[in-house]
Amino acid sequence: MIRVSTKFERPEPALVKQLSAFSSATVHEAQGRLGALDSAIKPVDRTMSLCGPAFTVQCAPRDNLMLQTAIAYARPGDVVVVSAGNYEEAGSFGDVLANACQSKGLAGLITDTGVRDTEDLRALGFPVFSRSVSIKGTVKETVGPMCEPVTIGGVLVRPGDIMRADADGVVVVRREDAAEAATASQERVDAEAGFIAAYRAGKTVIEMCGLAPVLAAKGLVIEE
């Protein structure tokens, strides 16, 4: 007998909402360039975006038994995060399961394996981020961990950590660091707004970024 618990601490909804206002790149930079998943994991449609606590699950390659189990037990607002060995030649998730997820109010799915039925997924609008697209089917044979830490895209994700994903990629924020990450993200957005205003006012990149001494120290001479 294998016992699996689905109990874990989720972040405050207000923190999830705060982080959802920032891009994945902004959050990644704001938390010290940490938490970015492998860039191969991308949305099936560039308009897709998600932010929510991770409901983690480990699957065997070409096997979606535990993925389907996770969908059944995840709560509204959760992001199902699937670690399946970076196996690209399997379509472990498609339009039928996406409808099951959307009907439950789940926030999205992130997987390091493949998905299929992408036209239907785009039409449905349920956020799906995957390593690949593959029409090859899966089996339902292997049980495994659920709501335990998993590695996906080269990053450790724990249940309850916050996943932020958009057209540019996926970043994870540790649950206990969420408030700090939100504050730092806002500070970064404010700083970038200042840079944009300065550029539009005529300032140069070299002036604003203090590049003159850096270039001089590296021996670069520019003749105009």
Side-chain angles (χ1 to χ4, degrees), residues 147-163:
C147 298
E148 293 184 10
V150 299
T151 297
I152 176 173
V155 178
L156 181 70
V157 176
R158 307 167 307 164
D161 287 345
I162 299 176
M163 309 303 297

Side-chain angles (χ1 to χ4, degrees), residues 102-127:
Q102 193 172 68
S103 296
K104 289 196 66 175
L106 304 188
L109 175 129
I110 300 170
T111 180
D112 66 359
T113 186
V115 299
R116 61 187 185 182
D117 306 325
T118 54
E119 287 192 9
D120 292 323
L121 293 178
R122 293 185 186 102
L124 187 63
F126 180 74

Side-chain angles (χ1 to χ4, degrees), residues 124-147:
L124 187 63
F126 180 74
V128 176
F129 291 70
S130 68
R131 176 172 289 276
S132 66
V133 174
S134 173
I135 62 173
K136 297 177 182 178
T138 56
V139 298
K140 298 171 181 61
E141 296 288 347
T142 309
V143 297
M146 190 166 65
C147 298

